[in-house]
Amino acid sequence: METWLLIAFDSTQQALRTEMLLEYSDIEIDLFPTPKEVTAGCALSILFPGKELPIVVKIIKEEHVEIKGIFSKNNLEQYENIEM
């Protein structure tokens, strides 16, 4: 089973910008409502395959995308922030 990670944002503008950047880079993504457990200023998050993490982090840093964080689910089904 493939692991998916979640990017949370403080603004809808940054979420939509990131959606465009990742789609342009041919990364499979899904816009997803931000889970209530993840505190963010934006109602949209992006799910992406965990195997794409290095590329996603590179794009976020190079394009100066403002994010709240990248999260994974642990064994207790709770979201944990991944350090970039």
Side-chain angles (χ1 to χ4, degrees):
M1 184 171 166
E2 187 171 25
T3 301
W4 285 71
L5 302 176
L6 179 137
I7 308 171
F9 302 90
D10 285 324
S11 75
T12 302
Q13 178 185 6
Q14 292 297 310
L16 296 176
R17 179 172 173 241
T18 305
E19 175 190 25
M20 178 200 63
L21 291 167
L22 297 180
E23 284 180 343
Y24 183 77
S25 298
D26 290 327
I27 296 174
E28 181 183 357
I29 64 166
D30 187 20
L31 276 178
F32 186 79
T34 302
K36 61 181 166 84
E37 302 90 358
V38 176
T39 305
C42 176
L44 293 176
S45 292
I46 293 177
L47 289 173
F48 68 94
K51 67 182 180 185
E52 302 287 2
L53 180 62
I55 297 167
V56 170
V57 169
K58 181 179 180 202
I59 291 168
I60 287 170
K61 288 182 177 180
E62 286 180 355
E63 298 295 330
H64 306 287
V65 176
E66 297 173 25
I67 66 169
K68 184 71 172 182
I70 298 177
F71 298 84
S72 66
K73 272 192 176 180
N74 65 20
N75 292 339
L76 300 174
E77 294 295 307
Q78 296 171 327
Y79 286 94
E80 293 181 336
N81 197 344
I82 297 174
E83 297 296 321
M84 290 192 343

